[in-house]
Amino acid sequence: MKVIGTAGHVDHGKSTLVLALTGIDPDRLAEEKTREMTIDLGFAWLTLPDGQAVGIVDVPGHIDFIKNMLAGVGGIDAALFVIAADEGVMPQTSEHLAILDLLQVTHGVVALTKIDMVQHDPDWLELVQADVAEALERTSLAGAPIVPISARTGEGLDRLTQTIQQVLSQTPERRNVAKPRLPIDRAFSVAGFGTVVTGTLSDGDLVVGQEVEIVPAGLRARVRGLQTHKHKLEQAVPGSRVAVNLSGVSKEQVSRGNVVALPATLRPTALVDVHLRMVARGLEKPLLHNQPVDFFCGAAEVAARTRLLNAEALEPGQEGWVQLRLEAPVAVQRGDRFILRQASPSRTLGGGVVVNPYPGRRWRRFRPEVVAMLEALQSGDPPSVLLQALRRQEPAPYAAVASASSLDRASAAQAFAELLTGAQVMALDRDWDAGQIEEGQRLAALQTVISAEGWRELAGRLESTLAGYHQQFPLRVGMGREELKNRWQGKRQTWSPRQFNDLLGQAVQEGLVVDEGAVVRLRGHAARLAPKEQVAADRLLAQFKTQPAMPPSATEAKAAVGEDVLQWLLDSGRLARVNDDVVFEAAAYDAMLQQIMDFMRREGSITVAQVRDLLDTSRKYALALMEHLDARHVTRRVGDARVLRKAEGS
Ligand SMILES: Nc1nc2c(ncn2[C@@H]2O[C@H](COP(=O)(O)OP(=O)(O)OP(=O)(O)O)[C@@H](O)[C@H]2O)c(=O)[nH]1
Ligand SMILES: [Mg+2]
């Protein structure tokens, strides 16, 4: 089903035309009859020659009631733009046209009405037509058909209905994503039925008996009955004018601007990121940062303040990114179109599209990354939206990225799968299997998600950090893990140990670095001694080998070869450190450990004295070895003796 909305200057004949086309007088209020002027929205319907029924929303033209006009124009498929031939383009002709343009209403018909008033002057009609065509230029209604008519004589009305039918045949089908939204434009009560709300339904069907939520009022109600064009229905479809009889709420609890939706499908928000286009002309001053404005979206109206994200001020005709802080929550969605106005003097400032209904926080101004994120969101393509959210905080857990993207769960998961397939993102979690992407649960567990670009940057930083370290300490095998983590993550981030391990694991897997356990080095790095140092090192090692169980102390070794060479001997695995001062030659260390283990397996336990005798060493070395094994949880002390820990012994 389709809905058209009238527009045009006060008294130009909108309501009269609706009556002439449909037989229904849209002006239903007593005050409207006495003042001969539309004050609030009126509703009617028309059966086109091809048999399809079309809803009509009739709006007031008077500037004082422009808010009501804005509440009605939200959900229309096409505009019935009414211009009186005798007056031509007038102030609200222009303002309504600007509003339709900002709302991107791209389909419409111009009814050039009251031609009976200008019949004496045929040139005049031609002049006005040219004028109107010019006014439409550079708007979303450029080139719309102009049909001269008279509601009084009936001249041109048939052609007008034909043209409406033709224009509507070109409008896109309403989407149905099973998430019905009915922005309430009227709420009243009917004796014997109770509360009734009306609106133009979008995005899904409403069904009698359904439980619904009124957002942002936060009320639950049940659909007791449905009507479209005064006909009872069991199910209402998107794009139709719907009256919903609600049980469970009173008329006083619901008002224009609230939205009827299925429970928990629409979350209210009081902070929205929007792309704003300013009206082309008619403003004395540019829009400023922190300016009070009125925000109109759907049938809702709420006061707001601007936060200009990429401009000091927005001049007429300019576009920009704006965060709006609303004084009360509203139920809006990404992609919804809105209008910004100032109350006094009454002016339409601009309008555009809600790009991010849940920014969650105040953006800092003039941040390229914020603008990039909003641009991606506007492009509407979920993968780039998700990628932008990831780029802002990577490496990050999947859940954090998905939530920052403001995509719904299913689209985020789908977008992530696409990005993975296209190798634009990586999930570095060691225990993750990309084959299981379907499982939302598994996605939520991912801790280390990064974009391919982000990874390249990190890999580059890892390489330069380690290269610098190797240059500074050529004799060291590599950099300690803790120090590496601090340098690699930088000052702005704190990675969890798990994230660090995941990232390092990726670098190892790619062959960039070698993980030596305590230290990490670039693959190409080999600590090499100068010839003189090599001689000293060889001499020291020979000394260790001649007295393997009672070798020189660390202090003596350091005195003999220097700190760097000693460290190199330790890092390269030629020497093994047992405590601050006790160091063994590596092979000797392994052999002694083996002897101790064999003894314990055979005898059940071992004392320090037994170690001393077994290895033919001194008590100092025996004790150092056993304390070392205790510290490594290989052994456990029981009285004077040591036994193997369970895990080792079994
Ligand atoms: N001569 C002539 N008068 C017309 C025609 N259409 C409307 N009128 C008269 O113009 C006056 C205003 O018509 P309305 O239909 O109330 O105008 P409107 O655009 O709905 O006005 P608002 O809703 O207040 O913006 C009424 O007195 C109508 O009788 C027409 O085709 N010919
Ligand atoms: Mg009217």
Side-chain angles (χ1 to χ4, degrees), residues 14-16 27 37-38 58-61:
K14 297 179 288 297
S15 304
T16 308
D27 288 338
M37 158 190 290
T38 305
D58 183 41
V59 307

Side-chain angles (χ1 to χ4, degrees), residues 67-132:
K67 292 178 174 191
N68 295 335
M69 180 270 179
L70 286 164
V73 81
I76 64 174
D77 295 282
L80 177 58
F81 199 46
V82 178
I83 301 172
D86 57 339
E87 288 197 330
V89 174
M90 294 291 280
Q92 266 62 59
T93 313
S94 304
E95 183 167 25
H96 285 196
L97 182 59
I99 287 167
L100 293 170
D101 180 46
L102 292 168
L103 294 175
Q104 284 297 295
V105 175
T106 48
H107 296 88
V109 184
V110 177
L112 193 59
T113 188
K114 302 196 190 181
I115 52 167
D116 57 291
M117 307 270 283
V118 296
Q119 242 140 25
H120 54 280
D121 188 353
D123 292 347
W124 176 256
L125 193 61
E126 237 170 78
L127 222 67
V128 178
Q129 285 201 49
D131 239 24
V132 169

Side-chain angles (χ1 to χ4, degrees), residues 563-631:
E563 188 174 359
D564 285 351
V565 174
L566 175 60
Q567 191 62 48
W568 179 86
L569 286 166
L570 287 164
D571 289 349
S572 62
R574 287 165 172 84
L575 293 181
R577 186 187 279 285
V578 164
N579 69 22
D580 273 357
D581 205 40
V582 175
V583 180
F584 292 106
E585 191 272 326
Y589 168 81
D590 290 343
M592 289 188 291
L593 244 52
Q594 198 54 52
Q595 279 180 276
I596 295 171
M597 304 287 283
D598 289 348
F599 187 98
M600 276 191 289
R601 289 204 183 95
R602 203 169 57 236
E603 307 291 333
S605 69
I606 197 165
T607 64
V608 172
Q610 284 169 322
V611 173
R612 185 196 57 204
D613 296 345
L614 178 70
L615 303 177
D616 193 14
T617 180
S618 76
R619 183 177 158 76
K620 170 186 142 186
Y621 290 104
L623 184 61
L625 269 170
M626 289 322 295
E627 283 175 347
H628 172 65
L629 290 181
D630 288 346

